[in-house]
């Protein structure tokens, strides 16, 4: 156990600091501070020694240099059980510092708020990071508190142990301190490296929390990130690992639709029901009709506020999660009648940067597939051109293939997903799966639009589609045998357009 006899405090955020300095004064801990923190402590009526008085140097360069001095770092880094260190402290009149409370300039927050590079660069903390690393390195003797998140824990520690700290306390806080510095440095690196040809991979997220389990009960799992920044959970049980994966798929898909109320139903990251209609209730009913069996226990998402009538219709089936931009109060009451329904109010559209995942002995990274084709991106390649209504269905279906596992085929008509075949090793299998599924749920696919995530290497798919009554096709094109599929369409009065963009998803 080590007794805290002196402390250095220099923080940007003063929230919840007052009770800590009062407790430290009560315990007889000598406090050193500087600048705004010193003024704050003085206003609390707690004795404080200016760092400038310790170092005999003022804060210089507009506050860029305040604590970078041997009399500060010597007191932090000195090993208490080392006679040579103790002798040097005595020779140079350096006091030991047993507790360091420091946070960092809000670099990440500043980047989010402004494009002014000069302002952003000024928020790169130098002294704070140096103090944190020094105190964390010497955790055998020094306690480091590197973020306001831990103020309440520090106060409890001071009160419960009367100013003493145990080795496990100091080591835990040291690990947290290096976590804080690592995350901070990663954000600076990502800002400065944007657009640069730098081969290093860095990614960091805070707010880690343990999930009930991973994809399966025998797998442990955590989520890192601040969900509260984008979601408000209105009710239900805690989101699971699989819930989070499916919610991600749902919000990414529904973000494709902005012109009409749209509902999507997700099961194991794949859409089994999607529809756009004049009202949210109509959109829900049409989306559910796409596959009412798979919708059981699914993840639901819409781009429109949920009203009571829609809530009553949705509440007739079991679902895991419902995401919407808002809910009427009486709609929430409807869902409250059944347990474990997770309702999520989405505060804003999520626009992630790079996508990455670990595999083999490394990490792969790519840009998200944000390409969404419009009518201007379509190139008619057949004699018969699609009608305006067919173009709308082709574009609707093409949005869906982006979000389904390859190989995938989508059948759509009148702004509704009739059926899809996905995750197949053969494109023919995907098409046959889609046709069989559409028929199973009673859809007439005559006149439906067909979308493929990749080109047709052979004319077999358009032949199968033609015999099923499908008359409009959208695909990337690019096969050396494109002409075979185009010729078949011309011979049988089908319309085909190409986009020039493949949408594989693995």
């Amino acid at each position: 156990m080590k007794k805290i006899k002196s402390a250095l405090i220099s923080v940007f955020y003063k929230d919840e600091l007052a009770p800590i300095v009062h407790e430290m004064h009560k315990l007889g801990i000598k406090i050193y501070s500087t600048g705004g923190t010193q003024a704050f402590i003085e206003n609390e009526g707690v004795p404080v020694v200016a760092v400038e008085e310790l170092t005999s140097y003022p804060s210089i360069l507009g506050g860029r240099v305040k604590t970078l001095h041997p009399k500060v770092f010597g007191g932090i880094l000195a090993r208490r059980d080392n006679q040579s260190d103790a002798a040097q402290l005595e020779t140079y009149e350096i006091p030991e510092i047993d507790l360091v409370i420091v946070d960092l300039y809000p670099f990440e927050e500043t980047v989010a708020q402004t494009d002014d590079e000069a302002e952003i660069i000024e928020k790169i903390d130098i002294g704070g990071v140096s103090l944190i690393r020094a105190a964390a390195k010497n955790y055998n003797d020094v306690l480091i508190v590197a973020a306001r998140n831990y103020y309440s824990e520090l106060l409890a520690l001071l009160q419960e142990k009367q100013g003493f700290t145990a080795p496990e306390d100091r080591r835990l806080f040291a690990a947290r301190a290096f976590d804080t510095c690592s995350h901070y440095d990663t954000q600076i690196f990502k800002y400065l490296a944007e657009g640069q040809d730098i081969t290093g991979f860095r990614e960091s997220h805070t707010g880690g929390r343990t999930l009930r389990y991973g994809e399966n009960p025998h797998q442990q799992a955590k989520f890192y990130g601040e969900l509260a920044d984008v979601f408000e959970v209105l009710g239900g049980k805690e989101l699971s690992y699989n819930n989070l994966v499916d919610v991600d798929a749902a919000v990414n898909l529904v973000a494709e639709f902005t012109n009409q109320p749209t509902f999507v139903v997700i099961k194991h990251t794949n859409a089994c029901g999607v529809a756009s209609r004049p009202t949210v209730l109509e959109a829900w009913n049409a989306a559910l009709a796409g596959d009412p069996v798979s919708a059981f226990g699914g993840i639901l998402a819409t781009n429109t506020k949920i009203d009571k009538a829609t809530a009553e219709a949705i509440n007739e089936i079991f679902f895991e999660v419902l995401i919407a931009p808002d809910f009427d109060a009486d709609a929430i009451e409807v869902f409250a009648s059944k347990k474990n329904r997770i309702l999520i109010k989405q505060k804003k559209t999520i626009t992630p940067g790079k996508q990455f995942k670990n595999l083999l002995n490394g990490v792969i990274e790519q840009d998200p597939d944000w390409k969404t084709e419009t009518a201007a991106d379509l190139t008619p390649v057949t004699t018969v051109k699609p009608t305006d209504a067919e173009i709308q269905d082709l574009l609707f279906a093409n949005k869906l293939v982006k979000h389904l596992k390859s190989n995938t085929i989508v059948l759509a008509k009148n702004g509704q997903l009739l059926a899809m075949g996905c995750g197949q090793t053969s494109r023919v299998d995907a098409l046959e799966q889609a046709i069989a599924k559409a028929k199973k749920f009673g859809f007439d696919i005559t006149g439906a639009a067909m979308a493929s995530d990749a080109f047709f290497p052979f004319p077999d798919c358009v032949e199968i589609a033609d015999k099923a009554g499908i008359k409009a096709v959208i695909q990337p094109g690019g096969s050396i045998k494109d002409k075979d599929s185009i010729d078949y369409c011309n011979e049988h009065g089908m319309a085909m357009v190409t986009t020039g963009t493949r949408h594989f998803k693995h």
Side-chain angles (χ1 to χ4, degrees), residues 268-270 403-408 421-424 453 505-506:
H268 299 296
T269 76
N270 290 307
H403 298 270
L404 293 165
K405 296 291 178 64
S406 299
N407 290 305
T408 184
C422 68
Q424 300 301 305
D453 60 337
K505 184 181 181 185
H506 288 90

Side-chain angles (χ1 to χ4, degrees), residues 28-317:
I29 298 171
K30 187 174 186 177
I31 300 174
Y32 297 93
S33 191
T34 185
T37 308
Q38 177 188 340
F40 174 86
I41 296 171
E42 288 172 343
N43 288 337
E44 288 294 318
V46 174
V48 59
V49 178
V51 167
E52 292 84 351
E53 183 178 326
L54 172 63
T55 63
S56 299
Y57 270 89
S59 173
I60 62 173
L61 305 181
R64 282 188 164 196
V65 180
K66 291 180 285 193
T67 56
L68 295 168
H69 193 281
K71 282 205 169 183
V72 175
F73 281 84
I76 296 171
L77 284 165
R79 292 157 290 190
R80 308 307 196 255
D81 58 355
N82 185 291
Q83 292 183 355
S84 176
D85 285 5
Q88 290 181 68
L89 292 186
E90 185 176 357
T91 298
Y92 298 109
E93 298 180 331
I94 300 174
E96 293 178 350
I97 297 175
D98 308 309
L99 167 63
V100 176
I101 305 175
V102 176
D103 61 11
L104 302 173
Y105 290 158
F107 177 85
E108 195 171 359
E109 294 86 340
T110 304
V111 170
Q113 294 168 1
T114 182
D115 294 326
D116 185 338
E117 181 153 289
E119 184 178 349
I120 291 170
I121 296 303
E122 280 306 308
K123 289 300 188 292
I124 296 179
D125 205 312
I126 304 300
V129 172
S130 301
L131 289 167
I132 290 171
R133 291 179 66 87
K137 176 178 180 176
N138 201 25
Y139 72 85
N140 189 56
D141 298 302
V142 179
L143 180 69
I144 172 64
V145 179
R148 57 179 169 170
N149 303 4
Y150 309 120
Y151 284 0
S152 59
E153 195 170 338
L154 171 63
L155 180 60
L157 187 67
L158 291 170
Q159 292 171 336
E160 291 170 11
K161 297 186 177 180
Q162 292 297 296
F164 285 86
T165 62
E168 58 269 23
D169 299 326
R170 299 190 297 275
R171 187 182 178 92
L172 172 61
F173 275 86
R176 290 170 171 170
F178 280 114
D179 178 40
T180 297
C181 288
S182 175
H183 177 76
Y184 193 77
D185 286 343
T186 296
Q187 304 315 307
I188 297 170
F189 166 78
K190 291 175 70 174
Y191 173 77
L192 294 175
E194 186 174 0
Q196 307 288 343
D197 185 18
I198 297 178
T199 58
F201 175 82
R202 301 286 186 279
E203 191 63 37
S204 177
H205 291 278
T206 57
R209 61 186 177 90
T210 300
L211 304 174
R212 296 197 302 274
Y213 51 80
E215 283 187 287
N216 301 291
H218 64 277
Q219 296 172 269
Q220 295 182 351
K222 287 187 176 182
F223 174 79
Y224 296 93
E226 301 294 344
L227 279 179
D229 292 345
V230 291
F231 293 144
E232 180 184 352
V233 180
L234 302 179
K237 59 185 179 181
E238 186 177 352
L239 287 164
S240 69
Y241 179 97
N242 290 332
N243 288 158
L244 290 168
V245 174
D246 285 336
V247 165
D248 179 68
V251 298
N252 286 333
L253 176 54
V254 82
E256 298 275 2
F257 301 92
T258 57
N259 295 328
Q260 262 192 312
T262 300
F263 237 107
V264 306
V265 182
I266 297 291
K267 201 68 173 289
H268 299 296
T269 76
N270 290 307
C272 57
V274 183
S276 296
R277 290 292 184 267
T279 69
V280 67
L281 177 56
E282 291 174 286
W284 162 249
N285 287 331
L288 177 63
D291 187 345
V293 175
S294 296
F296 181 85
I299 306 297
L300 318 178
T302 182
N303 58 3
T304 307
K305 186 177 185 178
I306 297 291
D307 55 27
K308 182 180 180 181
T310 306
E312 289 174 338
I314 296 171
N315 214 34
E316 292 178 4
I317 73 162

